[in-house]
Amino acid sequence: MTETDLRELGERALEEIAGAGDEAELERLRLLYLGRRSGLISRRAAALAQLPPERRSELGREFNRAKQAVEEALGRRQAELALGAAPPAPAGMDLSWPRRALERGHQHPVARLIREIEDVAAALGFESVRGPEVEDDRHNFELLNLPPEHPARDTHDTFYLEGPAQGWLLRTHTSPVQLRTMMAGPPPYRIIVPGRVYRRDNPDPTHNPVFFQVEGLCVDEGVSLADLKGTLTYLIGAIFGPERGVRLRASYFPYTEPSLEADVSCGFCRGGGCRSCLGKGWIEILGSGMVHPQVLRNAGLDPERYSGFAFGMGPDRIAALKYGLEDIRDLYENDLRLLEGF
Ligand code: DAH
């Protein structure tokens, strides 16, 4: 067996295949050349195996080339024969015209960011859950230490439902899912909750009446502020990349004590201060804290035994920061000219 030998065999096969007049003949040729044991090409494999290694690899290459060419020719001729057997194309229709390329979509930048956050949190053991967008006052406010007269309620300009749905509202944040989760079964909880929230804000470059949040909650025995700091630092680092700084600041939320806000260093000035961060060098990206003992009690948990942390962030704002969008509304208007750029 030589290279020439193999090449000539291959060429002869290609010629015969191209001339095959029907499927039966094509099948006969397939068996003749590629039949499993006795095919003229297939059976050369056994001879190949007997050769010394360096010769085997040289000839092996020619063998593979011939075999592949014959397989392709068989497929091609089969398609030609099938087409020939089909009814003729209607007048004016050219079946050989190349098909139009299908346009492929991709994930919306906010969906992609939420998926990214869920993936990072999943690696830390957080399960992704959902909650209702239509809530009651109790879960959205009261159980979170926001009684009717609480001043913090002023910041939530809320869409209240009317008519038969009186008493219900469109959730102003994803925090009510903390309560729903804790009231549904015993600890430990480690959840991440992405979803839409609603506020009676006038649309402007940094506000939209509908936007997204991702809530996190971790409650167990012995969960400490150090766990919160570690989790946030890791999560933010994974989302923004290791070169961005993370800063935690004391803050206030009625449902956490102590409360923290997390900032990430500005991506444009790297902390020096510029127009985009209003000279501060840092951009606020989430609220968090240790779950308030009264909130645990509201959920039926003993704060002497259990403790935990919670956080809430806005993936739209983060996406806008990450992709350098000046107007957050660009994310909701579904203008393909813009979205295709991501
Ligand atoms: N619910 C807050 C908001 O809508 C965000 C938030 C702050 C969530 C602190 C939390 C938290 O879970 O602990 O702005």
Side-chain angles (χ1 to χ4, degrees), residues 156 172-173 175 178 199 213 215-216 253 255-256 287-289 310-312:
H156 295 300
T172 60
H173 51 179
S175 303
Q178 291 186 29
R199 288 189 201 169
Q213 285 193 338
E215 191 84 12
F253 300 99
Y255 31 92
T256 45
S288 70
F311 58 85

Side-chain angles (χ1 to χ4, degrees), residues 38-284:
S38 53
L40 293 175
I41 294 181
S42 318
R43 71 175 181 221
R44 296 262 194 311
L48 212 53
Q50 308 295 324
L51 296 173
E54 61 289 0
R55 188 74 190 116
R56 194 190 316 151
S57 81
E58 283 166 15
L59 263 184
R61 226 165 302 146
E62 193 58 44
F63 171 83
N64 286 334
R65 208 170 305 147
K67 185 163 171 235
Q68 199 184 345
V70 170
E71 279 167 354
E72 281 170 11
L74 284 165
R76 208 175 318 119
R77 187 64 192 142
Q78 188 171 23
E80 283 169 7
L81 289 172
L83 204 63
M93 190 182 281
D94 178 359
L95 290 183
S96 69
W97 193 254
R99 75 177 170 83
R100 225 181 328 145
L102 283 180
E103 287 190 25
R104 278 228 212 156
H106 60 72
Q107 281 188 325
H108 189 279
V110 175
R112 189 162 59 201
L113 191 68
I114 289 177
R115 183 75 66 85
E116 230 175 275
I117 296 169
E118 286 181 297
D119 283 350
V120 177
L124 297 175
F126 285 75
E127 185 194 355
S128 194
V129 303
R130 303 287 184 274
E133 291 177 26
V134 174
E135 266 295 1
D136 53 29
D137 199 88
R138 220 161 69 88
H139 290 86
N140 196 78
F141 294 124
E142 262 174 64
L143 296 171
L144 287 161
N145 278 348
L146 289 150
E149 69 287 355
H150 197 289
R153 270 195 185 191
D154 293 346
T155 65
H156 295 300
D157 261 352
T158 308
F159 286 109
Y160 288 96
L161 303 187
E162 294 171 352
Q166 178 103 39
W168 297 84
L169 50 83
L170 298 182
R171 67 177 176 192
T172 60
H173 51 179
T174 43
S175 303
V177 189
Q178 291 186 29
L179 271 302
R180 293 199 171 271
T181 303
M182 291 192 284
M183 291 161 101
Y189 316 107
R190 242 178 230 95
I191 55 158
I192 194 105
V193 191
R196 278 195 180 79
V197 301
Y198 302 81
R199 288 189 201 169
R200 209 182 265 276
D201 281 330
N202 287 323
D204 69 24
T206 56
H207 293 89
N208 199 58
V210 188
F211 57 102
F212 284 85
Q213 285 193 338
V214 178
E215 191 84 12
L217 175 73
C218 166
V219 174
D220 200 349
E221 292 181 20
V223 176
S224 73
L225 190 65
D227 297 314
L228 171 58
K229 287 174 72 174
T231 304
L232 289 183
T233 309
Y234 179 77
L235 198 61
I236 296 169
I239 297 168
F240 284 91
E243 64 285 352
R244 304 283 286 274
V246 181
R247 180 173 84 167
L248 302 175
R249 275 181 296 110
S251 181
Y252 171 76
F253 300 99
Y255 31 92
T256 45
E257 180 56 36
S259 303
L260 301 175
E261 274 176 322
D263 300 336
V264 65
S265 61
C266 175
F268 296 104
C269 63
R270 308 267 148 189
C274 68
R275 229 186 55 190
S276 161
C277 58
L278 304 174
K280 291 187 229 149
W282 296 89
I283 298 169
E284 180 205 319

Side-chain angles (χ1 to χ4, degrees), residues 319-339:
L321 283 175
K322 226 178 139 160
Y323 300 118
L325 293 179
E326 290 189 354
D327 193 327
I328 201 160
R329 292 171 295 182
D330 287 342
L331 290 170
Y332 313 117
E333 287 178 353
N334 288 333
D335 182 340
L336 281 180
R337 285 167 303 181
L338 189 106
L339 292 179

